[in-house]
Amino acid sequence: MGICVGLQAIFSGSVEDVGCPGLGIIPYSLDRFDDASKSVPHIGWNNATCLSNPTLYDLRPDSKYYYVHSYKYPYKEGELEGLGWSVATATYGTETFVGAVARGNIMATQFHPEKSGVAGLRVLRAFLTGSGATGLNAQQPTVDGAASTSSGAVAGMGLTRRVIACLDVRTNDQGDLVVTKGDQYDVREKSADRGVRNLGKPVDMARRYYEQGADEVTFLNITSFRDCPLADLPMLEILRRTSETVFVPLTIGGGIRDTVDTDGTKVSALEIATMYFKSGADKVSIGSDAVLAAEEYYAGGKSLFGNTAVEQISRAYGNQAVVVSVDPKRVHVPKADATRHATVRTQYLGPKGEEYCWYACTIKGGRETRDLDVVELTQAVEAMGAGEILLNCIDKDGTNSGFDLELIEQVKQAVRIPVIASSGAGNPSHFEEVFDKTTTDAALGAGMFHRGEYTVKQVKDYLAEKGQIVRQFEGDL
């Protein structure tokens, strides 16, 4: 069985590295998604549809499966079937590509079944029990000997709208790890005791959001754990326990940088990321370090030095494993040429009636502003190898007034990699608005879920009612 790059390895080669031959079990070569209108990598929940054999390893036409890749084999009707393969396809934009193949004792998926919820677990069960291979023998070929999987069969389906649940995790004053949320990053209660706001336990809440249909779960560690040996970081245990019952992608952010352990040992960002990956994380999120690296990138004439956290991790694990979390805030100016930074003409005027603004990047949880705008930062980290942008907005955080659509569109026009809209979601209509009025690739919610005001399922039901393609939780295996 091959998963993701495991499927790609059974082909003869790929433009990803033309000098590295594949196994050649399928005598064709892969290429890269090339439609400039799409974000690359292709990240999210998509179909794996096989019309010729609907029982192919228990793949189901109404189910969605989690993909994360930049390279694919374009589907050509009858080509692989003529070689005896059963084929399932997915569509991204105008491109239909191979989502899974099976023949004899070989089963390979471009998607990740282990991260595809109940639908993916069914595929794994079909492989492990042998029932999937038995089903292949019952396949009925078409009259010309080639099975038919028409790309038109998945028209109107394809990639879903991703809804992500984000959990800010930190220690409270009693030393317990809790999920918290604040306004403009102030996580303490407004009451006299000013204690850290405690909204629940991270592992339990992650499982709840998974069962409500969250497409991904993101943990942001907002406590440094400076006095704790790196090998015993509390977040490692949270990831281990969460990954036992939550079968969607897990992202972890906070503290992923070159550092020194409590015993004086120097530890690289790559080594810290590796610990998280081994504990169950699928992606790591980098914040302040990415801003500082971007400043060095421009100071050096847009030079890549190879030693930044983004470069280290993406080189080892692929750019799809690296998310950069961006924390910008608005700076109003009277006219577009009043600053060197990339501006937008805003419908939200400044305190003195300013019609333009630019978005200044911050570090240290929004406490320090840098002379770097959001376009500069996102383009720099894309060049370094980041695969996704988690786009926050300090001005919107905790307001429940909706996402900053102007900020999202500015960043989407500046980069090719996927963008996750964050900050400001207060009700399901805000998700529909951001998907309808911007080209964002995903949207994230936090406080509205933690406080029990709305569930992930309610957001997805609302999106479905508005005609958006979403994935719903499928229940028990």
Side-chain angles (χ1 to χ4, degrees):
M1 184 174 193
I3 294 175
C4 195
V5 73
L7 174 139
Q8 298 184 6
I10 69 175
F11 284 78
S12 61
S14 172
V15 297
E16 182 173 8
D17 188 345
V18 294
C20 181
L23 297 173
I25 298 171
I26 297 178
Y28 302 115
S29 185
L30 300 109
D31 59 22
R32 196 173 194 271
F33 284 111
D34 57 3
D35 184 347
S37 66
K38 297 195 299 288
S39 298
V40 179
H42 165 238
I43 298 179
W45 297 76
N46 210 324
N47 293 88
T49 304
C50 182
L51 294 184
S52 61
N53 184 8
T55 62
L56 171 62
Y57 279 85
D58 214 357
L59 293 172
R60 301 183 184 182
D62 294 331
S63 293
K64 295 290 185 178
Y65 304 88
Y66 181 74
Y67 292 80
V68 51
H69 59 118
S70 299
Y71 299 86
K72 48 66 173 143
Y73 186 69
Y75 178 72
K76 304 176 183 66
E77 187 170 351
E79 179 184 62
L80 298 184
E81 294 92 342
L83 298 177
W85 293 93
S86 294
V87 184
T89 63
T91 301
Y92 186 31
T94 59
E95 298 182 80
T96 299
F97 63 92
V98 172
V101 294
R103 188 185 74 180
N105 65 345
I106 300 173
M107 167 63 174
T109 64
Q110 183 64 77
F111 61 84
H112 284 262
E114 79 284 5
K115 292 295 175 180
S116 297
V118 171
L121 296 180
R122 286 197 300 258
V123 175
L124 293 174
R125 181 176 62 184
F127 177 78
L128 293 170
T129 63
S131 64
T134 301
L136 291 182
N137 297 331
Q139 178 177 355
Q140 297 297 318
T142 58
V143 291
D144 64 356
S148 175
T149 308
S150 170
S151 60
V154 292
M157 300 176 75
L159 196 64
T160 68
R161 299 301 201 179
R162 269 188 294 158
V163 176
I164 300 173
C166 180
L167 294 81
D168 290 342
V169 180
R170 66 157 290 162
T171 53
N172 63 11
D173 297 331
Q174 290 72 45
D176 300 319
L177 277 176
V178 300
V179 174
T180 190
K181 194 72 182 74
D183 301 330
Q184 281 73 51
Y185 304 159
D186 178 7
V187 299
R188 292 192 172 272
E189 298 286 4
K190 292 181 170 60
S191 57
D193 66 2
R194 289 287 291 164
V196 173
R197 189 171 291 112
N198 181 354
L199 298 175
K201 297 180 179 180
V203 176
D204 295 342
M205 293 180 73
R207 174 63 186 265
R208 183 194 313 158
Y209 297 145
Y210 165 66
E211 293 176 345
Q212 291 174 3
D215 296 313
E216 298 181 27
V217 174
T218 295
F219 292 108
L220 295 182
N221 166 19
I222 57 174
T223 302
S224 62
F225 305 121
R226 289 187 179 89
D227 299 324
C228 181
L230 291 176
D232 296 324
L233 285 177
M235 291 304 299
L236 295 175
E237 179 63 16
I238 285 178
L239 284 169
R240 282 189 286 264
R241 290 172 55 199
T242 300
S243 60
E244 291 174 355
T245 59
V246 174
F247 301 103
V248 296
L250 303 176
T251 300
I252 175 69
I256 302 168
R257 58 181 180 272
D258 295 342
T259 189
V260 178
D261 208 345
T262 54
D263 63 0
T265 304
K266 292 183 179 180
V267 183
S268 70
L270 176 58
E271 291 173 300
I272 295 175
T274 297
M275 288 192 294
Y276 282 130
F277 290 138
K278 288 182 176 180
S279 297
D282 301 282
K283 297 183 275 190
V284 293
S285 177
I286 300 171
S288 296
D289 264 29
V291 176
L292 301 178
E295 291 175 341
E296 293 182 5
Y297 170 78
Y298 288 110
K302 296 187 178 181
S303 298
L304 296 174
F305 299 100
N307 61 348
T308 65
V310 173
E311 291 169 278
Q312 289 181 52
I313 300 167
S314 64
R315 186 166 55 244
Y317 290 98
N319 65 345
Q320 77 284 344
V322 182
V323 180
V324 169
S325 181
V326 183
D327 295 319
K329 64 179 181 180
R330 285 178 172 240
V331 178
H332 291 276
V333 290
K335 52 186 180 178
D337 59 1
T339 175
R340 69 168 186 84
H341 295 290
T343 61
V344 296
R345 188 165 189 171
T346 178
Q347 61 175 319
Y348 305 105
L349 302 182
K352 297 180 180 180
E354 297 97 332
E355 295 183 357
Y356 293 85
C357 72
W358 63 280
Y359 290 90
C361 295
T362 68
I363 60 175
K364 301 178 181 178
R367 295 187 299 274
E368 184 177 316
T369 304
R370 312 293 290 193
D371 187 28
L372 185 78
D373 66 56
V374 71
V375 171
E376 292 172 320
L377 173 59
T378 54
Q379 290 180 340
V381 298
E382 181 179 32
M384 292 175 197
E388 204 166 19
I389 300 295
L390 173 55
L391 186 56
N392 307 299
C393 179
I394 292 177
D395 305 281
K396 283 286 190 175
D397 188 68
T399 65
N400 299 320
S401 61
F403 299 95
D404 190 329
L405 307 182
E406 296 172 342
L407 168 64
I408 295 163
E409 268 308 284
Q410 185 184 43
V411 172
K412 279 296 297 180
Q413 292 172 16
V415 298
R416 177 92 186 273
I417 57 179
V419 172
I420 302 168
S422 177
S423 302
N427 61 64
S429 70
H430 292 149
F431 286 83
E432 196 273 333
E433 179 184 49
V434 75
F435 286 130
D436 182 59
K437 295 184 178 180
T438 77
T439 54
T440 191
D441 300 274
L444 178 149
M448 60 181 280
F449 298 144
H450 304 337
R451 294 186 295 268
E453 296 164 353
Y454 296 95
T455 66
V456 175
K457 186 178 187 306
Q458 286 175 316
V459 169
K460 288 196 159 186
D461 288 345
Y462 183 87
L463 289 173
E465 290 173 3
K466 296 296 183 179
Q468 303 280 358
I469 303 174
V470 295
R471 176 195 71 96
Q472 298 288 10
F473 184 70
E474 295 193 40
D476 297 329
L477 181 60

